[in-house]
Amino acid sequence: MIIAVTNQKGGVGKTTTTINLSASLAVLGYRVLVIDLDPQGNSSDGLGINTNKLDNTIYDALVNDTPLSDIIIPNQLKNLFIAPANISLSGAETELASDISRPFKLRKSIRPEISKYDYIIIDCPPSLGILTVNAIVASTDLVVPIEPSSYALKGMSMLMSTILKVKDDLEHYVRFMGVVINMYDETIALHASITQAIIEYFTARKVFNSRICRNPKIPEAEIHGQSIQQYAPDNPAARMFMALAKEVDKKAND
Ligand SMILES: Nc1ncnc2c1ncn2[C@@H]1O[C@H](COP(=O)(O)OP(=O)(O)OP(=O)(O)O)[C@@H](O)[C@H]1O
Ligand SMILES: [Mg+2]
């Protein structure tokens, strides 16, 4: 199961979902690899990696054909591993420009690792450029975090047409697993009505029942370089992500 966590809108919770969904699946006993495919390197930072001090990153896997196994770092949490990124990845777009196999770089680099993990989860950058296309082409499933603010659905048709383009032009079918409503606040009336609009747009089957509420422990854990499962396992935020992980796991076996 290879899941791309994607939404070209910035700051909706892609990285937070990647880190904490992955950690929750690891706590459930699965072997999980996080792939940081964002030049911001936020999921690497959020899992305690000093991104300034890396010899090899996902950039080398994509551009220099460095084996993914050479860049993977185990996390403090058992069963959790990460292929980190840093700002060097921002050069990948131009450096791959003349490479005819550019949409397939990540898929090729993941292939030898697939059998070693139960879940591979890819944190995408906030764009629909070549990195996100690489993530979709490498994935079996997509998870899309959405913040229920105004404009939440703006741009969704662009994401959908990218998925269709990958299917038609690159002949890779990826399943739309579901939308994660993030930063949900039940005291804000607008959140309930936007959530309803999201359910109508995607259908209820494609929206996870587990919603992630706004919770200050979430950014706090990231600043400490830990998943919520490690930083505050008894906090409601840890329980929300655990519920999401169980739902993902159930859908994975559908
Ligand atoms: N449920 C939440 N409660 C509180 N803070 C949150 C929650 N989800 C995310 N955040 C915080 O909001 C900020 C943006 O979240 P995150 O980095 O996960 O979004 P992103 O979609 O990955 O952003 P980008 O598009 O820049 O990659 C982060 O500081 C994160 O800690
Ligand atoms: Mg991010």
Side-chain angles (χ1 to χ4, degrees):
M1 179 80 7
I2 306 173
I3 300 173
V5 180
T6 188
N7 184 343
Q8 77 272 24
K9 194 165 172 3
V12 293
K14 294 178 287 296
T15 300
T16 299
T17 302
T18 300
I19 291 176
N20 296 307
L21 170 62
S22 300
S24 303
L25 288 165
V27 169
L28 288 174
Y30 293 112
R31 240 176 107 86
V32 185
L33 172 64
V34 171
I35 296 182
D36 190 350
L37 206 62
D38 184 352
Q40 297 180 99
N42 292 152
S43 51
S44 308
D45 291 324
L47 285 170
I49 290 165
N50 184 344
T51 51
N52 299 318
K53 287 207 177 135
L54 294 168
D55 293 331
N56 282 316
T57 64
I58 195 74
Y59 168 87
D60 299 277
L62 298 180
V63 176
N64 301 326
D65 292 326
T66 302
L68 202 60
S69 54
D70 286 0
I71 70 164
I72 292 173
I73 300 170
N75 189 254
Q76 288 170 339
L77 195 68
K78 191 174 169 244
N79 295 330
L80 185 60
F81 300 82
I82 174 151
N86 62 18
I87 190 68
S88 65
L89 186 58
S90 60
E93 191 121 4
T94 38
E95 284 175 56
L96 290 176
S98 59
D99 192 326
I100 54 158
S101 63
R102 63 184 186 274
F104 303 98
K105 287 299 208 177
L106 183 65
R107 176 152 98 188
K108 185 171 168 224
S109 121
I110 286 178
R111 197 168 292 143
E113 298 304 305
I114 290 178
S115 61
K116 300 179 195 165
Y117 299 93
D118 299 301
Y119 284 95
I120 297 178
I121 303 194
I122 307 169
D123 185 15
C124 293
S127 79
L128 290 172
I130 191 66
L131 290 171
T132 295
V133 169
N134 263 269
I136 296 174
V137 168
S139 297
T140 58
D141 288 82
L142 296 189
V143 165
V144 177
I146 293 185
E147 189 187 348
S149 61
S150 26
Y151 313 124
L153 287 171
K154 204 178 165 193
M156 272 305 123
S157 59
M158 254 160 75
L159 175 59
M160 294 305 152
S161 58
T162 302
I163 296 168
L164 268 181
K165 230 173 137 45
V166 167
K167 183 165 166 266
D168 291 346
D169 299 354
L170 305 175
E171 297 183 342
H172 176 71
Y173 171 73
V174 67
R175 176 171 69 151
F176 189 97
M177 191 186 247
V179 167
V180 181
I181 311 269
N182 183 33
M183 306 205 225
Y184 187 77
D185 185 340
E186 58 186 13
T187 65
I188 300 176
L190 189 67
H191 280 194
S193 61
I194 292 174
T195 298
Q196 200 45 47
I198 291 170
I199 290 171
E200 273 160 29
Y201 184 90
F202 289 99
T203 75
R205 207 166 56 84
K206 294 288 182 190
V207 180
F208 289 102
N209 292 321
S210 328
R211 293 176 194 165
I212 309 300
C213 298
R214 191 179 288 279
N215 183 312
K217 281 284 173 208
I218 291 174
E220 208 178 296
E222 285 168 20
I223 287 167
H224 285 83
Q226 291 182 350
S227 66
I228 196 74
Q229 299 303 350
Q230 205 178 15
Y231 183 73
D234 297 324
N235 188 276
R239 286 200 289 278
M240 292 186 292
F241 278 109
M242 189 52 79
L244 178 66
K246 287 179 180 161
E247 234 186 299
V248 165
D249 194 36
K250 194 162 175 289
K251 281 188 193 253
N253 296 307
D254 268 358

